[in-house]
Amino acid sequence: MPTPIRTATLLLTALTLGACSQTPTPTSGLGAQAVSGDFSRWGMNWSPSTWKNGDPLFGCTFSKNNLTLGSGSDAAVYGWLDSSTCSEIKSNRWKTQGTRFGGDIYVPNVAGTTTTLFTYFNDGTVWNEIDVEFVPSRGSLHPALIYRNGGSRYVYEAWIPAASNAWHRVDVNWTASSIVWTLNGRVVFTMYRNASLPLGATVVTGSGSSMQIPAAAWPTRSQQLIANFWRGSNTADSRGFLGTYGGGTGQAIWNNLY
């Protein structure tokens, strides 16, 4: 049976900062276009992912059939998720230290899932990510930095209250000395590079509004801009991070990404 995102007209009335707290409202006159390959949006070229995300965390296969594009004046991208498939788009834009990324994101309230925007680099040895992850089961935004260089994976993170079934405007400013997460116009968390701090615990959860990051873990290489909407595998690791996925379906929306 086709999912609602493949059969319904998917539209927005507006994606402005003032609409960030509203749910999307279908209107007449504009249609939706299924993604069949690479596409251009917000001044960038994008590609849909079509691969199986692996356990112990991920529990679905990315499918281009789960993605639709607004048409006419609707520039949004819609991503669907069900019990077996999820959504991801990858940009040809590689972010560098000294630049920002962000945009408008609609986060559906589906337990055991996350709606994201992040940068990613992995050459098989070095792995870096700068993450914006909305986690409905926790009612939170998860700003995170991931680093690996051949050995242990290090995760530096925080949990910031953020509603689901809501629009959010996010901005991440990545410099040589700090990474600043702004949510709906307010700075909510900052990571600072600390040249004297050694690598220690593999998972460090910050408290308050900031934390110190070892210089060895600081991202310096260009990273690809990616957005996705996926569910957990219901392993212990996944449930600890995302909560239990109970078979829900939902639609994430991205707009004005940069």
Side-chain angles (χ1 to χ4, degrees), residues 61-131:
T61 299
F62 292 123
S63 172
K64 66 182 180 182
N65 295 327
N66 286 24
L67 293 161
T68 53
L69 310 177
S71 61
S73 63
D74 177 10
V77 176
Y78 302 81
W80 181 257
L81 176 148
D82 57 26
S83 60
S84 61
T85 58
C86 48
S87 310
E88 181 175 87
I89 52 173
K90 294 184 174 182
S91 173
N92 69 333
R93 184 75 54 86
W94 286 67
K95 294 296 178 176
T96 59
Q97 185 172 269
T99 62
R100 318 172 81 103
F101 68 93
D104 297 315
I105 303 175
Y106 179 76
V107 181
N109 187 17
V110 183
T113 71
T114 180
T115 303
T116 80
L117 179 66
F118 64 103
T119 61
Y120 177 81
F121 173 84
N122 188 347
D123 65 0
T125 301
V126 175
W127 171 7
N128 259 143
E129 290 185 25
I130 304 172
D131 294 339

Side-chain angles (χ1 to χ4, degrees), residues 121-217:
F121 173 84
N122 188 347
D123 65 0
T125 301
V126 175
W127 171 7
N128 259 143
E129 290 185 25
I130 304 172
D131 294 339
V132 173
E133 299 176 307
F134 290 94
V135 181
S137 292
R138 289 175 173 256
S140 295
L141 165 67
H142 181 240
L145 172 65
I146 298 176
Y147 167 75
R148 173 183 277 166
N149 189 353
S152 297
R153 185 178 72 134
Y154 295 87
V155 179
Y156 305 91
E157 63 178 6
W159 295 97
I160 308 298
S164 301
N165 282 345
W167 281 100
H168 296 286
R169 176 162 289 182
V170 297
D171 177 82
V172 180
N173 188 14
W174 168 28
T175 73
S177 59
S178 66
I179 304 171
V180 180
W181 282 261
T182 299
L183 176 65
N184 300 326
R186 181 174 66 91
V187 172
V188 293
F189 201 74
T190 305
M191 294 185 182
Y192 294 102
R193 180 182 180 274
N194 188 329
S196 63
L197 188 66
L199 291 170
T202 56
V203 178
V204 181
T205 301
S207 59
S209 61
S210 67
M211 67 189 303
Q212 302 290 314
I213 307 298

